[in-house]
Amino acid sequence: MISTDVAIWIQAALILMWLSQLYKQNIFYRFTEYTFIGVAVGHSTVLVYKNVVSMVYTPIVFKADFLLIIPVILGLLIWTRLSPKYGWVSRWPMAVIVGVSAAIAVRGAIKTQIYDQIIATIQLGVVRPDILSNVNNFLIVVTAICTLTYFVYFKEHKGALGTAAKIGRITMMATFGNTIAWAFAGRLNPLIALLQTLLLDWLHLR
Amino acid sequence: MSSYTLRNQIPLAIASLILVIVFAEYFLAMPKAVSDFISGLQKWTVILSAFAMVLSLLSVTRIHVPRVMKTGANMSDRALSAWLLVIMVITILVGIGFDTPSAQYQFIFRNLFSPLSSGVWAIMAFYYCGAILRSFRARSLEATVLVVAGFLVVTRNTPVISAIIPWWESLGTWIMNVPGVSGMRGLVIGVGVGVVAMGIRMLLQMERRPITGEA
Amino acid sequence: MTEKSEKQDLTTRLERLDARYVYLFFAALLIIPIVVPFGLPILVTSPTRDFYDYVEKNVGKGDRVLIWGTMTTGWWPTEYRPSIVAVSQHLFNRGAKLYYISDGAEDPLLVDTVFGMIDKGPAKYGVDYVSLGYYAGGEVALSAFAKDVYSLVKTDYYGTPVDQLPMMKEVKTAKDFKFVMHVTGSPAEWLLRQYKTPYGIDCGWVGSSGMVGIYMPYYASRQVVGFVCGLRGGAEYETLMKRPGIGLASTDAMSAGHLYFALIMIFANIVYYIGRKERKKQ
Amino acid sequence: MLQSGRILQFVYLIVAFAAVVVLFELQKKRGFLPKMRRLAALDAIEEVVGRATEMGRPIHVSPGTPSLGESIEVETIAGLAVTGYVAKLCARYGVRCIATAFLPEMLPIVQEVVRQAYIAEAKPDAYKEEDVRYLTDQLDAYATAVQGIVERENCVGNIVVGRLYGVSFMIFARAAIGGKTMNIGGTAYYLNVPHLVATCDYVLIGEELFAAEAYLTQNPRQLMSLFSQDIFKFVSMGLVVLGTLLFLAGSGAMVTLLKM
């Protein structure tokens, strides 16, 4: 029996309209697109409002955390962007945002993205009883170095460097093939879930 | 102070200073009061981005309100823009009026947002098939490697195949564990070097674009 | 002559095949196993097994576990739900204290559905498990929480102040947690940068399927105890726990979809190969 | 005092900083300036803008989709270099440039970047604020919206370089299958490079993103900073080789050192 739940009907209708883009662009698809964007913007706004209440209003009013007035003033300064004359004032708060987020990304990078990767590669330098894993470890070390050589900018990719860079490119392509396969898996699963909503929850085919 | 100082030098100096402070907090052992202040700084950015949201809302209305008002334009365009604004305002009012865990808000979220959000990911599975049909061609040695590696891993991920031909899985697993690992590592180390260099450029105020807009 | 040009026409036509046919076959192929499942067996991979073994051996009664979410609703039904439900169930069975928190906007709602789907046993809200809600700021929020829980969290998701929740008295910083698990589809390094590196806490991932390739190097270098990824990870975890659920119900459709994708790869290349030969002949 | 476990990380930062300063001096005093190799993806931008000029159709450009709340990531900052360059070329040739910003806090930045590009080309009046848009900061909705813009505004080029996530595929997919739009993508985030490989005509892979500014401006200071990246790549390779050899010989000295 087909579902009698209004909510499921709304969902199913939206999904079908959404999937119609596969055939061609049409008004139903555009309706879902605009609905999606409208709700998304509204949702973000609500969340931001809740954040402001819990992180600014409550601490200042009930806990007298007056240090928080500084970011509030800086935040208000962002709005100067609306004035053509004083728009430059907004650069000050933007500098804070840019500075903090860049600093946090950079300071962690040395360890996780450089040292840890080097250490992990180094630790493959162990002779094991089975030949295959020795070969694999050797390949990993060599191809990792070759991949790095691909990113050398100031030396022409010729001779030994050229060969290494070529091996690096090939290694990267194998890596990408691997990730594409996984990415497809990551898209297929939501599709299965969607079809399950349609076929099982809505049409009750099973 | 000259207007150049106010407009350019001070904001750039603020960014550099913050970089130094946050670095210092990471590398040096500091009194608790100082490190508390710095973790507070991290919270500031969250507050600041909340204020930026207002500008974004204005941007959205600035695009769609004129579209609704434009007489003589395509009727469906006008209706759709109006619908976008209406559903946006409804979501905001319900979210703020009833709060997010409320049944009313959940209704909007579960029935309008969630299915379409899943829809984006689901439709990509179709487009993946379409894109692969167009671009996955063994034109060169590199492209051949891409195709073969992709094929091996896709078939490895197929539960039936690994159940019928157990050794087949080891081919795909080899791709994952050998070039999959080493290629990633090379890429990650390269990016790490780039990120740190970027940080130094910001310290030296060479990356001015996010702050002043100029190169 | 005419025969040749006809053949050429066919290859060019196949090379420019309307993608809509591809979509149509794809949809048909997925619908069948969903309506009529075959119930094929699956294989458990080592990261999932290691994750399971870690929880089984090292997480005991009263151990505090942080579950940080960076999820998206789009991926929720198949990517996260099967694994997070299976893993949460396992953690509840072990008697651990669970702290759910997230920086993904919709996550608290999703966490609610997790609570609805599992058998919580004698566990009580606020004593054994808590949902702390959503905090914007991504990695920044993650790091702020690690430094000082109370600088970030003032109330739980339902608005109860944290000082009224018994289990919140036990945690001040990241050091108070035994195990941290990040439920995410993208930023893999956050956990390592903010928890593993500075505090040395055991970390694990519950990710989307696409993350397996990304997590592999970190798992290979033992920076994480293991990971459970996507629908398949969930199905594997369900197999390990001997508790079939949503994961195992969808594996047949998964097989069909993957096979089709592999066939398209072959098809595209055969057509390309023939077409190239034809062009060379000319 | 330095925190233990982070000493060598600090050393890296200091050495990298010193190297850049020394290279600047070398450049200034001796005029040292090596030649950089070509990056096809960046060369292609001019081609796209040229095609847009001929056809009189617009171009979409965006500095990517930094994760919600993660704010402005370094990758996004690198991506802004491309955004600025595209806007500049568009201003020069009178092509309409539609820029989109993902996060609310990105909007003022992108506006400023595009506006400054128009000012630099001495056409401040041609800058239209409504062509720099905030769409939404939900990843999937954003990708949908970008695709809508590219199709309905009939964009010749779709250039998105910066932090990108799994949805990035959706930003390019329909345009790639349709074959009417030229896609140029770039991201350092290794997980998403493959999405671009499958859909884009040209891709900036990984660290190449951080070379964009130097390559596009050919500014000597930027080039020297990029040169320092080359040096540190070789240093990393050296560390791997040396460390592995030591490890084979049974000494974990390098590992201990790096963990200091």
Side-chain angles (χ1 to χ4, degrees):
Chain A
M1 267 307 289
I2 202 161
S3 167
T4 48
D5 187 345
V6 182
I8 297 279
W9 273 86
I10 297 179
Q11 288 182 21
L14 276 178
I15 292 172
L16 287 177
M17 286 200 266
W18 169 258
L19 289 177
S20 73
Q21 63 170 296
L22 287 171
Y23 180 63
K24 69 187 242 208
Q25 287 285 315
N26 61 70
I27 185 88
F28 300 108
Y29 161 66
R30 284 190 67 191
F31 172 77
T32 55
E33 180 189 331
Y34 277 64
T35 311
F36 192 25
I37 298 168
V39 178
V41 176
H43 184 54
S44 305
T45 314
V46 171
L47 294 171
V48 161
Y49 167 82
K50 286 191 74 167
N51 260 343
V52 169
V53 170
S54 73
M55 294 179 81
V56 182
Y57 180 77
T58 319
I60 291 181
V61 176
F62 297 107
K63 305 230 169 93
D65 189 351
F66 292 116
L67 200 64
L68 283 176
I69 290 180
I70 305 173
V72 170
I73 293 171
L74 283 172
L76 290 170
L77 288 182
I78 294 185
W79 293 355
T80 59
R81 172 72 50 181
L82 295 171
S83 138
K85 205 171 161 206
Y86 296 104
W88 56 269
V89 179
S90 66
R91 288 175 183 177
W92 292 36
M94 291 322 290
V96 175
I97 297 184
V98 171
V100 173
S101 45
I104 287 183
V106 171
R107 69 180 197 184
I110 303 177
K111 183 175 165 51
T112 45
Q113 296 186 24
I114 305 177
Y115 285 176
D116 283 354
Q117 300 302 323
I118 292 178
I119 290 172
T121 315
I122 286 175
Q123 284 170 339
L124 296 174
V126 184
V127 181
R128 296 227 167 85
D130 71 314
I131 298 172
L132 194 66
S133 67
N134 285 333
V135 172
N136 281 346
N137 287 349
F138 177 75
L139 278 177
I140 291 178
V141 175
V142 171
T143 49
I145 292 174
C146 288
T147 309
L148 259 178
T149 60
Y150 169 76
F151 292 103
V152 170
Y153 303 111
F154 289 97
K155 208 164 181 308
E156 261 193 274
H157 288 186
K158 272 186 192 158
L161 186 70
T163 319
K166 177 100 178 162
I167 297 174
R169 274 183 70 91
I170 291 175
T171 313
M172 278 198 290
M173 286 302 152
T175 313
F176 296 154
N178 172 29
T179 336
I180 284 179
W182 283 102
F184 173 71
R187 309 297 177 277
L188 179 63
N189 296 345
L191 177 59
I192 293 175
L194 200 84
L195 292 174
Q196 281 171 341
T197 314
L198 278 182
L199 300 169
L200 307 183
D201 297 345
W202 181 48
L203 295 176
H204 288 287
L205 283 181
R206 199 172 81 202
Chain B
M1 267 189 279
S2 75
S3 91
Y4 182 75
T5 314
L6 282 171
R7 283 163 199 240
N8 296 299
Q9 285 170 333
I10 292 186
L12 286 169
I14 292 177
S16 303
L17 183 71
I18 286 179
L19 237 74
V20 172
I21 293 178
V22 181
F23 282 165
E25 195 256 348
Y26 180 75
F27 291 114
L28 307 176
M30 287 207 172
K32 194 173 177 304
V34 182
S35 67
D36 277 356
F37 173 74
I38 294 166
S39 38
L41 253 183
Q42 300 179 1
K43 211 165 63 179
W44 284 16
T45 60
V46 182
I47 298 173
L48 287 179
S49 57
F51 282 90
M53 188 71 210
V54 174
L55 294 185
S56 310
L57 279 178
L58 283 176
S59 172
V60 171
T61 44
R62 188 184 275 178
I63 294 163
H64 290 283
V65 171
R67 258 192 222 168
V68 179
M69 296 300 175
K70 209 160 125 194
T71 46
N74 190 339
M75 209 43 218
S76 63
D77 276 1
R78 293 177 64 188
L80 284 171
S81 281
W83 166 244
L84 186 148
L85 292 170
V86 167
I87 192 73
M88 179 180 98
V89 171
I90 290 178
T91 312
I92 294 174
L93 290 180
V94 172
I96 292 175
F98 296 97
D99 207 355
T100 43
S102 70
Q104 292 90 336
Y105 194 76
Q106 293 285 308
F107 184 84
I108 296 182
F109 192 80
R110 289 229 168 98
N111 298 320
L112 295 182
F113 190 77
S114 299
L116 290 173
S117 186
S118 318
V120 173
W121 294 96
I123 205 103
M124 276 198 264
F126 286 101
Y127 289 141
Y128 245 97
C129 293
I132 247 65
L133 187 70
R134 296 271 181 276
S135 67
F136 251 49
R137 288 171 185 172
R139 287 195 184 87
S140 59
L141 177 62
E142 278 96 339
T144 313
V145 173
L146 178 74
V147 172
V148 171
F151 181 77
L152 289 179
V153 181
V154 167
T155 44
R156 175 208 174 271
N157 287 349
T158 316
V160 189
I161 292 188
S162 48
I164 300 172
I165 326 171
W167 57 268
W168 184 264
E169 181 158 290
S170 60
L171 295 178
T173 311
W174 185 84
I175 298 280
M176 284 168 61
N177 289 343
V178 180
V181 169
S182 65
M184 285 301 171
R185 249 177 221 159
L187 272 159
V188 172
I189 295 176
V191 170
V193 170
V195 167
V196 177
M198 200 72 187
I200 290 167
R201 288 205 279 274
M202 292 195 68
L203 265 180
L204 294 170
Q205 307 186 350
M206 285 163 65
E207 294 291 338
R208 307 149 65 101
R209 223 186 283 269
I211 296 163
T212 68
E214 293 152 3
Chain C
M1 169 73 204
T2 45
E3 201 191 314
K4 213 177 188 180
S5 70
E6 256 172 36
K7 199 179 167 194
Q8 259 171 31
D9 270 350
L10 185 69
T11 42
T12 1
R13 269 211 329 255
L14 279 177
E15 272 189 339
R16 293 184 194 145
L17 178 74
D18 194 333
R20 282 178 282 191
Y21 293 113
V22 176
Y23 304 154
L24 189 70
F25 280 114
F26 189 43
L29 219 75
L30 288 179
I31 288 172
I32 298 166
I34 290 176
V35 180
V36 198
F38 319 119
L40 301 159
I42 60 158
L43 229 79
V44 178
T45 54
S46 62
T48 313
R49 186 177 293 279
D50 282 356
F51 194 108
Y52 178 85
D53 287 347
Y54 174 84
V55 174
E56 191 66 29
K57 287 189 190 119
N58 294 308
V59 179
K61 186 142 187 64
D63 279 338
R64 289 173 287 273
V65 177
L66 178 66
I67 297 147
W68 190 286
T70 310
M71 306 181 261
T72 38
T73 14
W75 285 12
W76 170 249
T78 45
E79 289 295 297
Y80 305 124
R81 193 174 54 182
S83 4
I84 197 177
V85 166
V87 173
S88 297
Q89 181 68 63
H90 194 197
L91 288 166
F92 266 104
N93 292 352
R94 301 292 307 157
K97 296 195 174 191
L98 307 180
Y99 298 75
Y100 290 85
I101 181 166
S102 60
D103 62 280
E106 305 99 39
D107 299 8
L109 307 172
L110 306 177
V111 168
D112 272 355
T113 60
V114 173
F115 292 157
M117 288 178 79
I118 51 183
D119 169 21
K120 292 190 280 286
K124 272 205 286 294
Y125 184 83
V127 183
D128 302 295
Y129 68 102
V130 65
S131 170
L132 296 173
Y134 147 74
Y135 298 89
E139 186 174 0
V140 177
L142 199 75
S143 137
F145 186 86
K147 273 208 198 80
D148 178 5
V149 170
Y150 297 102
S151 80
L152 191 75
V153 182
K154 311 279 186 234
T155 65
D156 72 351
Y157 176 57
Y158 310 100
T160 319
V162 280
D163 38 18
Q164 294 175 19
L165 297 164
M167 67 189 294
M168 286 306 290
K169 296 198 177 82
E170 300 169 19
V171 288
K172 282 198 183 66
T173 65
K175 286 189 190 117
D176 299 315
F177 291 97
K178 164 96 186 168
F179 179 53
V180 186
M181 152 180 145
H182 194 185
V183 189
T184 178
S186 29
E189 316 91 340
W190 292 4
L191 204 56
L192 302 175
R193 281 204 289 247
Q194 308 303 344
Y195 286 79
K196 181 81 188 166
T197 307
Y199 304 99
I201 302 188
D202 294 335
C203 295
W205 282 307
V206 168
S208 56
S209 324
M211 297 305 286
V212 173
I214 309 313
Y215 291 163
M216 235 5 163
Y218 298 102
Y219 167 73
S221 56
R222 296 288 156 196
Q223 281 168 281
V224 290
V225 300
F227 52 82
V228 186
C229 280
L231 186 59
R232 188 166 179 190
E236 289 171 11
Y237 214 93
E238 284 167 14
T239 318
L240 286 170
M241 289 181 61
K242 301 188 181 65
R243 196 174 184 277
I246 19 182
L248 283 168
S250 319
T251 39
D252 288 340
M254 225 172 116
S255 285
H258 273 107
L259 269 181
Y260 184 70
F261 193 63
L263 286 178
I264 289 183
M265 280 186 187
I266 297 176
F267 174 77
N269 279 290
I270 289 176
V271 171
Y272 169 72
Y273 182 73
I274 297 172
R276 199 179 59 173
K277 247 171 123 180
E278 299 278 329
R279 277 190 289 275
K280 263 190 190 155
K281 255 187 219 161
Q282 279 189 335
Chain D
M1 265 325 287
L2 281 172
Q3 291 214 16
S4 70
R6 290 174 186 169
I7 297 173
L8 224 76
Q9 296 173 43
F10 188 66
V11 171
Y12 183 103
L13 194 69
I14 294 298
V15 173
F17 191 87
V20 172
V21 174
V22 170
L23 284 170
F24 282 174
E25 281 302 304
L26 258 177
Q27 197 273 320
K28 220 158 93 188
K29 296 248 171 73
R30 307 248 178 96
F32 173 70
L33 200 65
K35 206 170 155 322
M36 194 182 163
R37 77 171 160 93
R38 319 254 358 130
L39 293 174
L42 295 173
D43 289 339
I45 292 177
E46 202 150 355
E47 186 192 329
V48 179
V49 178
R51 208 185 280 181
T53 321
E54 272 169 36
M55 298 171 134
R57 277 157 53 187
I59 282 180
H60 168 257
V61 63
S62 158
T65 55
S67 134
L68 245 171
E70 197 175 34
S71 287
I72 293 85
E73 264 257 351
V74 248
E75 286 175 64
T76 318
I77 297 172
L80 281 172
V82 174
T83 309
Y85 178 71
V86 172
K88 214 165 166 174
L89 287 185
C90 285
R92 190 178 300 160
Y93 297 117
V95 172
R96 187 165 160 233
C97 169
I98 303 171
T100 55
F102 177 63
L103 291 179
E105 60 262 43
M106 285 296 297
L107 182 69
I109 296 178
V110 178
Q111 281 173 345
E112 191 75 30
V113 167
V114 176
R115 199 169 67 92
Q116 293 293 345
Y118 275 83
I119 291 174
E121 289 294 318
K123 285 180 185 164
D125 301 332
Y127 167 71
K128 283 201 232 66
E129 188 129 314
E130 60 268 25
D131 274 347
V132 184
R133 301 175 187 170
Y134 165 85
L135 302 169
T136 153
D137 59 7
Q138 304 290 323
L139 272 171
D140 20 29
Y142 175 82
T144 313
V146 166
Q147 213 164 49
I149 286 186
V150 170
E151 276 168 7
R152 277 192 283 282
E153 307 275 2
N154 222 340
C155 292
V156 179
N158 185 14
I159 303 169
V160 185
V161 177
R163 181 86 161 176
L164 288 173
Y165 287 98
V167 192
S168 50
F169 178 79
M170 189 70 171
I171 295 177
F172 299 110
R174 227 151 54 194
I177 296 168
K180 284 183 196 135
T181 311
M182 200 156 146
N183 287 328
I184 298 177
T187 188
Y189 197 59
Y190 43 95
L191 168 58
N192 289 306
V193 180
H195 300 276
L196 309 184
V197 171
T199 47
C200 291
D201 302 87
Y202 294 95
V203 189
L204 274 179
I205 297 170
E207 201 211 345
E208 290 178 340
L209 185 64
F210 300 105
E213 175 86 56
Y215 186 79
L216 294 173
T217 57
Q218 291 290 322
N219 173 329
R221 277 163 69 94
Q222 287 280 353
L223 283 171
M224 290 323 284
S225 163
L226 190 63
F227 189 70
S228 81
Q229 280 172 239
D230 264 15
I231 295 175
F232 278 91
K233 267 170 280 176
F234 279 112
V235 170
S236 316
M237 288 180 224
L239 288 178
V240 172
V241 173
L242 194 67
T244 315
L245 290 178
L246 279 174
F247 210 79
L248 271 174
S251 151
M254 186 67 80
V255 176
T256 330
L257 187 73
L258 292 181
K259 279 187 176 165
M260 254 171 68

